[in-house]
Amino acid sequence: LTLTNLQKMWAAAFLLAACMGADARRLAETYTIVMRDSHGDGWHGGTLNLTDVHSGNVVASFTGPQESCKYNPPLDTCESIETVSLDCGNFEAAQHGSTYHEECSWEIRDAAGLIMASASGTSAASFANNLCASCGLGHGSIYVSGPDCEVCPAGKYSDVDGAGSCKICEAGKYGSTPSAVACVACEAGKASSTT
């Protein structure tokens, strides 16, 4: 049995869909968080919080470098490195709670090592994980830059891959199933005002 290239492509697409799920929208990326203290005595309990801008929820929190970095071995600057995997979305990072915040700085690097956001003291900075997958036909995003897909309900449709929202069926047509990619004309003798 020999598979053609087209059959291999269909098999790969099926496996990808099976792994991601039919409504997949989120593609996570791993980021490296580097937190530094310029005096070398740690953040004194300070943290770096990553907040999802849309929901307002803190999605990750990291404790900055601790006092022990000054003594083992002695350094002028100490740092702490963490990693985090974030779904598609917009995020804000800010340092909180350090007694000597002016000594604190941080940066967030993507998988390629590019700095996505950085700041010092109590300043905040925003960044985005733009690795968003398209929702696909029959789906619309709840909000354009959002991480979640909405299945178009009966009476609505989406005929564009990556649509920002589902469209309402026009008068004289209806959408009888969820995830519709088009509306169907009403049968003779029947009508529809909107759905």
Side-chain angles (χ1 to χ4, degrees), residues 36-44 100-105 121:
R36 294 186 179 95
D37 180 85
S38 64
H39 189 65
D41 60 350
W43 280 17
H44 303 279
Y100 302 100
H101 57 81
E102 65 278 0
E103 300 172 2
C104 304
S105 65

Side-chain angles (χ1 to χ4, degrees), residues 30-118:
T30 300
Y31 294 89
T32 301
I33 315 297
V34 181
M35 298 166 284
R36 294 186 179 95
D37 180 85
S38 64
H39 189 65
D41 60 350
W43 280 17
H44 303 279
T47 60
L48 180 68
N49 293 339
L50 302 183
T51 304
D52 180 310
V53 172
H54 175 72
S55 69
N57 295 328
V58 173
V59 296
S61 184
F62 304 97
T63 302
Q66 299 303 305
E67 288 185 45
S68 60
C69 69
K70 180 176 181 180
Y71 306 106
N72 192 14
L75 301 169
D76 289 336
T77 300
C78 64
E79 67 181 27
S80 177
I81 299 174
E82 301 281 348
T83 59
V84 63
S85 182
L86 296 173
D87 289 332
C88 173
N90 296 309
F91 303 94
E92 180 180 86
Q95 186 269 338
H96 300 280
S98 177
T99 308
Y100 302 100
H101 57 81
E102 65 278 0
E103 300 172 2
C104 304
S105 65
W106 55 266
E107 63 189 33
I108 299 173
R109 295 180 176 267
D110 68 7
L114 299 173
I115 296 175
M116 302 299 294
S118 64

Side-chain angles (χ1 to χ4, degrees), residues 128-149:
N129 174 1
N130 293 320
L131 293 178
C132 301
S134 170
C135 285
L137 299 176
H139 295 77
S141 177
I142 294 170
Y143 45 96
V144 176
S145 63
D148 299 317
C149 289

